């Protein structure tokens, strides 16, 4: 599997920008922008989106996966204006794109991955920054749309170098367990409830897959992410030992769990 190179990443620690966002084979388990990034995005810059035009769906084309990769690089990395930065961004996006395509294609045995996106029609994004519209655009059924939020749903026993969920136990547990990763929303579109909508859609997809137990990892001091997941129905299950986090060079994490009934009443 292609792995995104371990170059300096934008922190998602709410209290500090010094912590690196950890990357597991292209899966980033940090999910909410840093406090500094949120403060830089003023109320004037934030955009009130038209939710009637919003679609929360599984990605279905390479062009959408490419737009998704651009959004993830844009969200998870902290870039400075230096010579060659555009080439560097393109390189990172290409690596992310190849890794994402491979995961979604299901080339790894005993694992299933869905990329779930929040998208808006280009016609509804006139107040959006030109850079976001041009870089995160894709075409679907003759319509140009913009990826404004994304996450991955991973059906697997565990994610590399992360705490493993305890439910369900027994034979076949790896087929009934799933993890969320790569959760991000374009910073201009935050505070519109997009992350919650993405999580809700992931529950539906997980239910259709026969998933009974859904997990997400979150940094211990990332209050914004913890609040999001608790509001979505996750509860605490376990946490990573401090020595393990230091050894793996990533923020210490909590593991949050949610049960997915087979006959969910949505």
């Amino acid at each position: 599997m292609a792995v995104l190179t371990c170059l300096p990443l934008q922190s998602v620690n709410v209290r500090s920008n010094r912590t690196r966002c950890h990357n597991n084979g292209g899966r980033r388990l940090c999910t909410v922008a840093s406090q500094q990034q949120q403060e830089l995005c003023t109320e004037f810059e934030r955009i009130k989106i038209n939710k009637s035009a919003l679609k929360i769906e599984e990605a279905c084309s390479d062009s959408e996966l490419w737009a998704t990769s651009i959004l993830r690089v844009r969200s998870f990395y902290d870039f400075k204006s230096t010579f060659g930065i555009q080439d560097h961004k393109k390189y990172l996006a290409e690596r992310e794109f190849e890794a994402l395509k491979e995961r979604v294609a299901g080339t790894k045995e005993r694992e299933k991955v869905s990329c779930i996106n929040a998208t808006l029609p280009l016609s509804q994004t006139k107040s959006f920054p030109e850079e976001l519209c041009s870089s995160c655009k894709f075409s679907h059924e003759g319509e140009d749309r913009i990826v404004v939020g994304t996450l991955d749903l991973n059906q697997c026993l565990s994610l590399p170098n992360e705490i493993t969920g305890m439910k369900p136990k027994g034979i076949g547990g790896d087929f009934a367990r799933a993890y969320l990763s790569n959760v991000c929303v374009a910073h201009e579109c935050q505070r519109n409830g997009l992350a919650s909508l993405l999580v809700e859609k992931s529950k539906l997809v997980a239910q259709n897959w026969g998933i009974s137990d859904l997990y997400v990892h979150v940094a211990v001091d990332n209050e914004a992410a913890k609040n999001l997941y608790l509001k979505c129905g996750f509860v605490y299950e376990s946490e990573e030992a401090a020595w393990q986090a230091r050894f793996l060079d990533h923020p210490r994490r909590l593991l949050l769990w949610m049960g997915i009934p087979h006959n969910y009443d949505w």
Side-chain angles (χ1 to χ4, degrees), residues 1-12 20-32 68-79 89 91-100 103 113 150-154 159-160 162 179-184 215-219 222 225 229 250-251 253:
M1 177 180 294
V3 179
L4 202 62
T5 52
C6 295
L7 294 169
L9 295 173
Q10 170 65 42
S11 162
V12 294
R20 289 191 299 117
C21 175
H22 188 58
N23 180 348
N24 283 320
R27 299 182 185 86
R28 285 170 208 78
L29 305 173
C30 309
T31 55
V32 176
T68 303
S69 300
I70 295 290
L71 179 64
R72 292 180 179 181
V73 169
R74 186 178 188 268
S75 299
F76 289 120
Y77 287 80
D78 186 15
F79 296 104
K89 288 181 180 180
Y91 166 75
L92 294 174
E94 288 172 347
R95 293 295 298 270
E96 174 69 8
F97 176 57
E98 293 302 324
L100 180 56
R103 294 198 304 275
V113 178
T150 180
L151 63 73
D152 286 343
L153 176 68
N154 309 268
L159 294 181
E162 290 294 340
Y179 298 84
L180 300 183
S181 63
N182 290 329
V183 187
C184 68
Y215 284 94
V216 66
H217 297 85
V218 60
N222 193 337
Y229 295 126
H250 66 205
R253 302 181 187 283

Side-chain angles (χ1 to χ4, degrees), residues 235-248:
V235 296
Y236 171 91
E237 180 174 288
S238 62
E239 61 187 83
E240 185 176 34
W243 67 265
Q244 183 177 3
R246 288 194 298 269
F247 177 77
L248 295 171

